[in-house]
Amino acid sequence: MRKRLFMAIFSKISMIIIPLCLMAGCKKEPVDPGIEGMWRLERFVTKSDGVVHNECQRIFYSIQLQLVVLAEKNCTHGYGIYIGAFCYGEKHKTVMMKDFKTRKSSGDDGELVEVEKLNPYGINSSETVFQVVKKGGKQLVLDSEYATLYFSRF
């Protein structure tokens, strides 16, 4: 009788504890902590003319898992906030940003952004592949055919 009671209690406790332990282990880890996070765009240099663009010191990139958010914060330029797809290349030596849409509330408006609106962020194409020049610590440097982007961790 005691054995049955013990088994019944043990099984009920197990049914509660095991799912809790499993749920605690399900947090979303960064794919590459050296790249993912909050970054401030310090400047970007366009390849065609060598011009350094640092007009707005309040442009931020937020990279997490397979999503990138571009935003101008507390500035008067009115560049907008955009959400795009973020993909890693082989061994994380390249990354791709694409399919940008205007941020609306907690999602997007469903329409692709005109490429010209991405220019202040150092992007001139709807699909841009970057070479990862430097990552980790407090700096990130990404290089595309259009420009080299220099970031500091936020």
Side-chain angles (χ1 to χ4, degrees):
M1 185 69 149
R2 284 181 134 184
K3 190 174 184 181
R4 254 190 196 169
L5 181 62
F6 175 77
M7 290 302 288
I9 293 172
F10 181 76
S11 67
K12 287 183 182 190
I13 291 174
S14 297
M15 288 172 46
I16 294 170
I17 292 177
I18 290 173
L20 287 175
C21 291
L22 291 173
M23 287 189 316
C26 293
K27 64 181 185 177
K28 295 180 181 176
E29 294 290 328
V31 176
D32 188 331
I35 295 175
E36 292 183 34
M38 299 289 292
W39 297 97
R40 182 169 73 91
L41 181 63
E42 299 281 339
R43 67 188 181 285
F44 68 91
V45 180
T46 48
K47 300 267 181 89
S48 62
D49 55 12
V51 173
V52 176
H53 301 267
N54 58 357
E55 295 84 21
C56 182
Q57 291 296 303
R58 305 286 300 160
I59 290 181
F60 297 93
Y61 278 54
S62 176
I63 303 168
Q64 184 177 10
L65 302 175
Q66 297 171 352
L67 188 70
V68 59
V69 178
L70 313 179
E72 171 199 36
K73 300 285 188 178
N74 302 325
C75 208
T76 58
H77 294 94
Y79 294 144
I81 301 173
Y82 308 106
I83 302 171
F86 187 84
C87 312
Y88 288 97
E90 190 175 331
K91 296 184 182 178
H92 304 181
K93 292 182 180 181
T94 61
V95 295
M96 179 174 34
M97 297 181 205
K98 64 180 183 173
D99 301 333
F100 285 97
K101 297 175 181 154
T102 303
R103 173 133 185 182
K104 190 170 189 175
S105 186
S106 62
D108 63 65
D109 66 1
E111 294 183 32
L112 293 176
V113 173
E114 300 158 13
V115 174
E116 296 78 32
K117 291 185 177 182
L118 300 175
N119 289 160
Y121 296 94
I123 297 173
N124 78 331
S125 162
S126 60
E127 186 173 297
T128 304
V129 175
F130 293 94
Q131 298 293 320
V132 178
V133 177
K134 183 176 185 177
K135 69 175 182 175
K138 296 187 179 205
Q139 293 184 328
L140 175 66
V141 179
L142 301 177
D143 187 52
S144 72
E145 290 180 1
Y146 171 67
T148 304
L149 285 62
Y150 298 86
F151 297 93
S152 61
R153 193 171 288 275
F154 175 73

